Amino acid sequence: MATPVTGSRTAPAVLAWSRDLVRPPLLHAVQGLPATVRHIAGYHLGWWDHHGRPSRTSTGKSVRPALALLAAESRGAPAESALPAAVAVELAHNFSLLHDDVLDQDTTRRHRPTAWAVFGTGAAILTGDALLALATDVLATSAYPATAHDLSTAVLSLVEGEQSDLSFETRDDVTLAECVSMVEHKTAPLLAAACALGATFAGAPPDAVAHLRAFGHALGVAYQHVDDLLGIWGDPKTTGKPAHADLVRRKKSLPVVAALTSGTAAGEELATRYGTADADPARLAALVERAGGRDWSESEATRLLTEALDHLTATDPTPRAAAELTALAHLIVRRDA
Protein backbone atom coordinates (compact mmCIF):
# COMPACT_ATOMS: atom_id res chain seq x y z
CA MET A 1 0.00 0.00 0.00
CA ALA A 2 1.13 3.52 -0.71
CA THR A 3 2.78 5.53 2.05
CA PRO A 4 0.10 7.46 4.00
CA VAL A 5 -0.15 11.15 3.09
CA THR A 6 -0.53 13.74 5.84
CA GLY A 7 -4.18 14.73 6.10
CA SER A 8 -5.50 11.82 4.03
CA ARG A 9 -8.59 10.03 5.32
CA THR A 10 -9.21 6.34 5.90
CA ALA A 11 -11.39 4.51 3.40
CA PRO A 12 -14.39 4.33 5.80
CA ALA A 13 -14.05 8.06 6.42
CA VAL A 14 -13.96 8.70 2.67
CA LEU A 15 -17.13 6.66 2.17
CA ALA A 16 -18.89 8.53 4.98
CA TRP A 17 -17.79 11.85 3.46
CA SER A 18 -19.05 10.77 0.06
CA ARG A 19 -22.46 9.76 1.43
CA ASP A 20 -22.82 13.09 3.25
CA LEU A 21 -21.77 15.13 0.22
CA VAL A 22 -23.93 13.27 -2.29
CA ARG A 23 -27.08 12.83 -0.19
CA PRO A 24 -28.51 16.40 -0.61
CA PRO A 25 -28.30 16.52 -4.45
CA LEU A 26 -29.35 12.85 -4.64
CA LEU A 27 -32.38 13.51 -2.46
CA HIS A 28 -33.19 16.61 -4.51
CA ALA A 29 -33.08 14.59 -7.71
CA VAL A 30 -35.26 11.77 -6.35
CA GLN A 31 -37.80 14.27 -5.00
CA GLY A 32 -38.45 15.23 -8.62
CA LEU A 33 -39.70 11.74 -9.49
CA PRO A 34 -43.41 10.98 -9.82
CA ALA A 35 -44.93 10.15 -6.43
CA THR A 36 -45.72 6.60 -7.53
CA VAL A 37 -42.03 5.69 -7.75
CA ARG A 38 -40.51 8.33 -5.44
CA HIS A 39 -41.76 6.50 -2.35
CA ILE A 40 -40.29 3.18 -3.51
CA ALA A 41 -37.00 4.79 -4.50
CA GLY A 42 -36.62 6.37 -1.07
CA TYR A 43 -37.38 3.04 0.60
CA HIS A 44 -34.81 1.25 -1.55
CA LEU A 45 -32.22 3.95 -0.83
CA GLY A 46 -32.80 3.52 2.91
CA TRP A 47 -34.19 6.99 3.60
CA TRP A 48 -37.58 5.87 4.93
CA ASP A 49 -39.53 2.72 5.71
CA HIS A 50 -42.35 1.31 3.59
CA HIS A 51 -44.79 3.71 5.29
CA GLY A 52 -42.63 6.71 4.40
CA ARG A 53 -41.36 7.27 7.94
CA PRO A 54 -37.68 8.29 8.34
CA SER A 55 -35.41 5.25 8.59
CA ARG A 56 -31.92 4.63 9.90
CA THR A 57 -31.36 1.71 7.57
CA SER A 58 -28.02 1.50 5.74
CA THR A 59 -28.04 3.56 2.56
CA GLY A 60 -25.23 1.56 0.93
CA LYS A 61 -21.47 1.99 0.83
CA SER A 62 -21.39 4.84 -1.72
CA VAL A 63 -18.31 3.38 -3.46
CA ARG A 64 -19.12 4.70 -6.94
CA PRO A 65 -19.85 8.27 -5.87
CA ALA A 66 -16.65 8.26 -3.80
CA LEU A 67 -14.66 7.17 -6.85
CA ALA A 68 -16.17 9.99 -8.94
CA LEU A 69 -15.46 12.63 -6.31
CA LEU A 70 -11.90 11.44 -5.65
CA ALA A 71 -11.18 11.17 -9.39
CA ALA A 72 -11.99 14.86 -9.66
CA GLU A 73 -9.80 15.68 -6.67
CA SER A 74 -6.98 13.61 -8.14
CA ARG A 75 -6.91 16.12 -11.02
CA GLY A 76 -6.73 19.08 -8.63
CA ALA A 77 -10.41 20.03 -8.89
CA PRO A 78 -12.81 20.33 -5.92
CA ALA A 79 -14.93 17.26 -5.25
CA GLU A 80 -18.08 19.37 -5.64
CA SER A 81 -17.30 19.83 -9.34
CA ALA A 82 -18.06 16.12 -9.87
CA LEU A 83 -21.32 15.97 -7.90
CA PRO A 84 -23.44 15.46 -11.06
CA ALA A 85 -21.24 12.48 -11.95
CA ALA A 86 -21.46 11.09 -8.41
CA VAL A 87 -25.25 11.43 -8.28
CA ALA A 88 -25.71 9.93 -11.74
CA VAL A 89 -23.59 6.83 -11.10
CA GLU A 90 -25.34 6.25 -7.76
CA LEU A 91 -28.74 6.46 -9.44
CA ALA A 92 -27.63 4.09 -12.21
CA HIS A 93 -26.17 1.70 -9.65
CA ASN A 94 -29.44 1.58 -7.73
CA PHE A 95 -31.36 1.03 -10.96
CA SER A 96 -29.25 -2.09 -11.43
CA LEU A 97 -29.79 -3.23 -7.83
CA LEU A 98 -33.57 -2.92 -8.08
CA HIS A 99 -33.57 -5.00 -11.26
CA ASP A 100 -30.99 -7.48 -9.93
CA ASP A 101 -33.12 -8.20 -6.87
CA VAL A 102 -36.06 -9.02 -9.12
CA LEU A 103 -34.01 -11.14 -11.52
CA ASP A 104 -32.33 -13.06 -8.71
CA GLN A 105 -35.48 -13.16 -6.56
CA ASP A 106 -33.47 -11.87 -3.60
CA THR A 107 -35.79 -11.00 -0.72
CA THR A 108 -33.23 -9.19 1.45
CA ARG A 109 -30.90 -6.26 0.81
CA ARG A 110 -29.11 -4.17 3.42
CA HIS A 111 -30.69 -6.26 6.18
CA ARG A 112 -34.32 -5.61 5.24
CA PRO A 113 -36.84 -6.77 2.59
CA THR A 114 -36.04 -5.79 -0.98
CA ALA A 115 -38.27 -3.30 -2.79
CA TRP A 116 -39.95 -5.91 -4.97
CA ALA A 117 -40.72 -8.07 -1.93
CA VAL A 118 -42.52 -5.12 -0.32
CA PHE A 119 -44.10 -3.27 -3.24
CA GLY A 120 -44.29 -5.93 -5.94
CA THR A 121 -42.21 -6.91 -8.96
CA GLY A 122 -43.69 -4.44 -11.43
CA ALA A 123 -43.36 -1.49 -9.06
CA ALA A 124 -39.70 -2.27 -8.35
CA ILE A 125 -38.87 -2.60 -12.05
CA LEU A 126 -40.57 0.68 -12.90
CA THR A 127 -38.76 2.42 -10.04
CA GLY A 128 -35.46 1.16 -11.41
CA ASP A 129 -36.41 2.47 -14.84
CA ALA A 130 -37.19 5.86 -13.30
CA LEU A 131 -33.81 6.01 -11.53
CA LEU A 132 -31.99 5.27 -14.78
CA ALA A 133 -33.91 7.98 -16.63
CA LEU A 134 -33.12 10.38 -13.80
CA ALA A 135 -29.40 9.50 -13.94
CA THR A 136 -29.29 10.34 -17.64
CA ASP A 137 -31.15 13.59 -17.04
CA VAL A 138 -28.73 14.67 -14.30
CA LEU A 139 -25.83 14.43 -16.76
CA ALA A 140 -27.71 15.75 -19.79
CA THR A 141 -28.52 18.97 -17.92
CA SER A 142 -25.03 19.37 -16.44
CA ALA A 143 -22.02 21.36 -17.65
CA TYR A 144 -20.89 18.23 -19.53
CA PRO A 145 -24.04 16.93 -21.27
CA ALA A 146 -22.07 14.59 -23.52
CA THR A 147 -21.30 12.48 -20.44
CA ALA A 148 -24.88 11.18 -20.60
CA HIS A 149 -23.72 9.10 -23.58
CA ASP A 150 -20.79 7.74 -21.52
CA LEU A 151 -23.18 6.58 -18.81
CA SER A 152 -25.55 5.04 -21.37
CA THR A 153 -22.65 3.10 -22.85
CA ALA A 154 -21.77 1.75 -19.42
CA VAL A 155 -25.38 0.74 -18.75
CA LEU A 156 -25.69 -1.02 -22.10
CA SER A 157 -22.57 -2.99 -21.25
CA LEU A 158 -24.08 -3.81 -17.87
CA VAL A 159 -27.24 -5.10 -19.56
CA GLU A 160 -25.18 -7.29 -21.87
CA GLY A 161 -23.34 -8.73 -18.90
CA GLU A 162 -26.58 -9.31 -17.01
CA GLN A 163 -28.02 -11.15 -19.99
CA SER A 164 -24.95 -13.40 -20.12
CA ASP A 165 -25.24 -14.04 -16.38
CA LEU A 166 -28.86 -15.10 -16.78
CA SER A 167 -28.00 -17.41 -19.67
CA PHE A 168 -25.41 -19.15 -17.50
CA GLU A 169 -28.19 -20.40 -15.21
CA THR A 170 -29.40 -22.85 -17.86
CA ARG A 171 -25.96 -23.93 -19.09
CA ASP A 172 -23.53 -26.47 -17.69
CA ASP A 173 -20.71 -25.65 -20.13
CA VAL A 174 -19.81 -22.10 -19.06
CA THR A 175 -16.10 -21.44 -19.60
CA LEU A 176 -13.94 -19.36 -17.31
CA ALA A 177 -13.22 -16.90 -20.15
CA GLU A 178 -16.98 -16.41 -20.64
CA CYS A 179 -17.46 -15.81 -16.94
CA VAL A 180 -14.68 -13.22 -16.78
CA SER A 181 -16.10 -11.49 -19.88
CA MET A 182 -19.52 -11.40 -18.24
CA VAL A 183 -18.07 -9.64 -15.20
CA GLU A 184 -16.14 -7.19 -17.38
CA HIS A 185 -19.47 -6.20 -18.91
CA LYS A 186 -21.77 -6.46 -15.88
CA THR A 187 -19.78 -5.13 -12.92
CA ALA A 188 -16.79 -3.17 -14.17
CA PRO A 189 -18.44 -0.54 -16.44
CA LEU A 190 -20.14 1.52 -13.71
CA LEU A 191 -17.01 1.71 -11.57
CA ALA A 192 -15.01 2.62 -14.67
CA ALA A 193 -17.60 5.23 -15.63
CA ALA A 194 -17.57 6.71 -12.12
CA CYS A 195 -13.84 7.35 -12.34
CA ALA A 196 -13.91 8.60 -15.93
CA LEU A 197 -16.89 10.90 -15.33
CA GLY A 198 -15.31 12.35 -12.21
CA ALA A 199 -12.15 13.10 -14.17
CA THR A 200 -14.13 14.60 -17.04
CA PHE A 201 -15.98 16.99 -14.72
CA ALA A 202 -12.56 18.04 -13.42
CA GLY A 203 -11.50 18.97 -16.95
CA ALA A 204 -8.89 16.18 -17.19
CA PRO A 205 -7.13 15.47 -20.51
CA PRO A 206 -8.14 12.35 -22.48
CA ASP A 207 -5.12 10.25 -21.40
CA ALA A 208 -5.86 10.86 -17.71
CA VAL A 209 -9.53 10.03 -18.24
CA ALA A 210 -8.53 6.80 -19.99
CA HIS A 211 -6.19 5.73 -17.20
CA LEU A 212 -8.77 6.51 -14.51
CA ARG A 213 -11.36 4.57 -16.50
CA ALA A 214 -8.94 1.61 -16.62
CA PHE A 215 -8.33 2.00 -12.88
CA GLY A 216 -12.07 1.72 -12.25
CA HIS A 217 -12.44 -1.18 -14.68
CA ALA A 218 -9.75 -3.31 -13.03
CA LEU A 219 -11.11 -2.42 -9.63
CA GLY A 220 -14.60 -3.41 -10.78
CA VAL A 221 -13.52 -6.90 -11.80
CA ALA A 222 -11.63 -7.29 -8.51
CA TYR A 223 -14.76 -6.08 -6.70
CA GLN A 224 -16.78 -8.87 -8.33
CA HIS A 225 -14.23 -11.50 -7.34
CA VAL A 226 -14.58 -10.40 -3.74
CA ASP A 227 -18.37 -10.16 -4.01
CA ASP A 228 -18.49 -13.72 -5.34
CA LEU A 229 -16.29 -14.90 -2.49
CA LEU A 230 -18.64 -13.21 -0.04
CA GLY A 231 -21.59 -14.82 -1.82
CA ILE A 232 -20.21 -18.20 -0.73
CA TRP A 233 -18.21 -17.61 2.45
CA GLY A 234 -19.43 -14.23 3.67
CA ASP A 235 -20.91 -13.74 7.13
CA PRO A 236 -24.68 -13.09 6.80
CA LYS A 237 -24.40 -10.52 9.61
CA THR A 238 -22.07 -8.53 7.37
CA THR A 239 -23.48 -9.23 3.91
CA GLY A 240 -27.16 -9.04 4.83
CA LYS A 241 -27.76 -12.17 2.75
CA PRO A 242 -28.21 -15.84 3.77
CA ALA A 243 -25.15 -18.08 4.13
CA HIS A 244 -24.00 -19.71 0.86
CA ALA A 245 -26.60 -17.60 -0.99
CA ASP A 246 -24.93 -17.93 -4.41
CA LEU A 247 -24.61 -21.69 -4.04
CA VAL A 248 -28.22 -22.12 -3.03
CA ARG A 249 -29.17 -20.41 -6.33
CA ARG A 250 -26.52 -22.47 -8.17
CA LYS A 251 -25.01 -19.23 -9.45
CA LYS A 252 -22.16 -19.56 -11.95
CA SER A 253 -19.92 -17.11 -10.11
CA LEU A 254 -16.20 -16.66 -10.74
CA PRO A 255 -14.87 -19.05 -8.05
CA VAL A 256 -17.55 -21.62 -8.92
CA VAL A 257 -16.74 -21.63 -12.64
CA ALA A 258 -13.02 -21.74 -11.86
CA ALA A 259 -13.69 -24.83 -9.75
CA LEU A 260 -16.02 -26.45 -12.29
CA THR A 261 -13.44 -26.06 -15.06
CA SER A 262 -10.42 -26.99 -12.92
CA GLY A 263 -10.14 -30.56 -14.17
CA THR A 264 -9.79 -31.76 -10.56
CA ALA A 265 -11.66 -34.54 -8.82
CA ALA A 266 -13.28 -31.97 -6.57
CA GLY A 267 -14.36 -30.00 -9.62
CA GLU A 268 -15.93 -33.07 -11.17
CA GLU A 269 -17.81 -33.87 -7.97
CA LEU A 270 -18.95 -30.26 -7.79
CA ALA A 271 -20.30 -30.46 -11.35
CA THR A 272 -22.31 -33.56 -10.44
CA ARG A 273 -23.71 -32.09 -7.25
CA TYR A 274 -24.39 -28.65 -8.75
CA GLY A 275 -27.04 -30.19 -10.97
CA THR A 276 -29.01 -31.64 -8.07
CA ALA A 277 -31.58 -29.75 -6.03
CA ASP A 278 -30.81 -31.30 -2.65
CA ALA A 279 -27.02 -30.83 -2.49
CA ASP A 280 -25.75 -29.44 0.82
CA PRO A 281 -24.50 -25.86 0.24
CA ALA A 282 -21.74 -26.32 2.83
CA ARG A 283 -20.51 -29.35 0.91
CA LEU A 284 -20.60 -27.37 -2.34
CA ALA A 285 -18.56 -24.60 -0.74
CA ALA A 286 -15.96 -27.10 0.42
CA LEU A 287 -15.70 -28.55 -3.09
CA VAL A 288 -15.25 -25.10 -4.65
CA GLU A 289 -12.40 -24.49 -2.23
CA ARG A 290 -10.78 -27.91 -2.77
CA ALA A 291 -10.95 -27.42 -6.55
CA GLY A 292 -9.02 -24.16 -6.24
CA GLY A 293 -11.84 -21.72 -6.97
CA ARG A 294 -11.38 -19.73 -3.78
CA ASP A 295 -7.61 -19.39 -4.14
CA TRP A 296 -7.94 -18.37 -7.79
CA SER A 297 -10.45 -15.61 -7.11
CA GLU A 298 -8.41 -14.30 -4.19
CA SER A 299 -5.22 -14.18 -6.29
CA GLU A 300 -7.03 -12.54 -9.22
CA ALA A 301 -8.44 -9.86 -6.93
CA THR A 302 -4.92 -9.10 -5.70
CA ARG A 303 -3.52 -9.01 -9.25
CA LEU A 304 -6.27 -6.70 -10.45
CA LEU A 305 -5.70 -4.39 -7.51
CA THR A 306 -2.07 -3.99 -8.57
CA GLU A 307 -3.14 -3.35 -12.16
CA ALA A 308 -5.64 -0.72 -11.03
CA LEU A 309 -3.10 1.12 -8.90
CA ASP A 310 -0.60 1.15 -11.79
CA HIS A 311 -3.19 2.99 -13.89
CA LEU A 312 -3.80 5.44 -11.06
CA THR A 313 -0.08 6.15 -10.72
CA ALA A 314 0.14 6.81 -14.47
CA THR A 315 -2.16 9.83 -14.09
CA ASP A 316 0.25 11.62 -11.71
CA PRO A 317 -2.59 12.27 -9.25
CA THR A 318 -2.56 14.78 -6.41
CA PRO A 319 -1.04 13.07 -3.33
CA ARG A 320 -4.01 13.14 -0.97
CA ALA A 321 -6.52 11.92 -3.56
CA ALA A 322 -4.07 9.21 -4.65
CA ALA A 323 -3.70 8.02 -1.05
CA GLU A 324 -7.46 7.96 -0.54
CA LEU A 325 -8.17 6.21 -3.84
CA THR A 326 -5.54 3.64 -2.91
CA ALA A 327 -7.08 3.14 0.53
CA LEU A 328 -10.52 2.77 -1.03
CA ALA A 329 -9.22 0.25 -3.56
CA HIS A 330 -7.65 -1.81 -0.80
CA LEU A 331 -10.88 -1.71 1.22
CA ILE A 332 -12.85 -3.00 -1.77
CA VAL A 333 -10.49 -5.88 -2.38
CA ARG A 334 -9.78 -6.78 1.24
CA ARG A 335 -13.33 -7.10 2.49
CA ASP A 336 -13.67 -10.02 4.87
CA ALA A 337 -14.38 -13.02 2.66
Side-chain angles (χ1 to χ4, degrees):
M1 184 182 293
T3 303
V5 174
T6 302
S8 65
R9 298 161 293 190
T10 64
V14 165
L15 292 175
W17 160 77
S18 172
R19 286 192 294 270
D20 289 344
L21 192 59
V22 170
R23 181 184 169 105
L26 182 61
L27 178 60
H28 177 75
V30 171
Q31 291 287 13
L33 290 173
T36 51
V37 293
R38 182 173 63 241
H39 175 66
I40 301 170
Y43 171 84
H44 169 75
L45 288 163
W47 296 338
W48 45 73
D49 65 16
H50 66 286
H51 295 298
R53 297 173 302 206
S55 172
R56 295 185 178 181
T57 302
S58 169
T59 56
K61 294 181 286 294
S62 198
V63 168
R64 290 155 191 81
L67 289 173
L69 298 174
L70 288 177
E73 288 194 336
S74 78
R75 304 308 307 161
E80 288 79 4
S81 66
L83 275 174
V87 169
V89 295
E90 185 68 352
L91 288 168
H93 173 54
N94 280 281
F95 140 77
S96 73
L97 295 183
L98 281 161
H99 282 209
D100 272 350
D101 287 341
V102 171
L103 291 169
D104 295 339
Q105 292 293 284
D106 282 335
T107 57
T108 303
R109 179 174 292 280
R110 298 166 185 159
H111 306 283
R112 68 173 182 169
T114 49
W116 77 265
V118 175
F119 301 101
T121 299
I125 291 173
L126 290 172
T127 301
D129 294 342
L131 292 186
L132 180 57
L134 188 58
T136 302
D137 188 63
V138 166
L139 294 178
T141 57
S142 73
Y144 292 88
T147 56
H149 173 70
D150 296 333
L151 181 65
S152 295
T153 299
V155 171
L156 287 173
S157 181
L158 183 156
V159 169
E160 181 181 357
E162 187 68 65
Q163 181 62 42
S164 295
D165 196 17
L166 287 173
S167 74
F168 291 173
E169 294 179 4
T170 57
R171 291 177 50 195
D172 56 10
D173 61 345
V174 178
T175 68
L176 193 53
E178 285 180 306
C179 194
V180 171
S181 177
M182 178 271 292
V183 170
E184 289 179 339
H185 284 85
K186 178 183 175 182
T187 308
L190 269 186
L191 274 80
C195 297
L197 290 173
T200 298
F201 273 82
D207 62 329
V209 173
H211 273 297
L212 282 166
R213 187 188 301 278
F215 164 76
H217 186 275
L219 196 58
V221 180
Y223 184 100
Q224 189 61 57
H225 274 284
V226 177
D227 222 46
D228 287 352
L229 291 166
L230 290 170
I232 299 175
W233 294 282
D235 182 350
K237 294 179 181 178
T238 301
T239 64
K241 295 184 178 183
H244 304 128
D246 285 358
L247 297 180
V248 171
R249 293 204 311 266
R250 300 298 191 267
K251 191 175 178 72
K252 302 295 197 315
S253 63
L254 286 162
V256 168
V257 175
L260 288 170
T261 59
S262 64
T264 63
E268 292 176 3
E269 183 180 345
L270 176 66
T272 300
R273 291 178 180 269
Y274 226 57
T276 62
D278 58 349
D280 176 21
R283 175 62 177 170
L284 296 177
L287 289 170
V288 173
E289 186 159 10
R290 279 175 47 199
R294 185 173 189 170
D295 285 345
W296 177 76
S297 265
E298 289 175 348
S299 64
E300 277 297 285
T302 299
R303 180 187 67 79
L304 287 160
L305 173 61
T306 300
E307 179 181 319
L309 295 178
D310 286 345
H311 280 291
L312 176 62
T313 299
T315 67
D316 190 23
T318 58
R320 174 173 158 168
E324 292 178 352
L325 281 167
T326 299
L328 187 56
H330 277 272
L331 177 69
I332 289 171
V333 176
R334 293 184 176 180
R335 287 177 291 166
D336 179 17

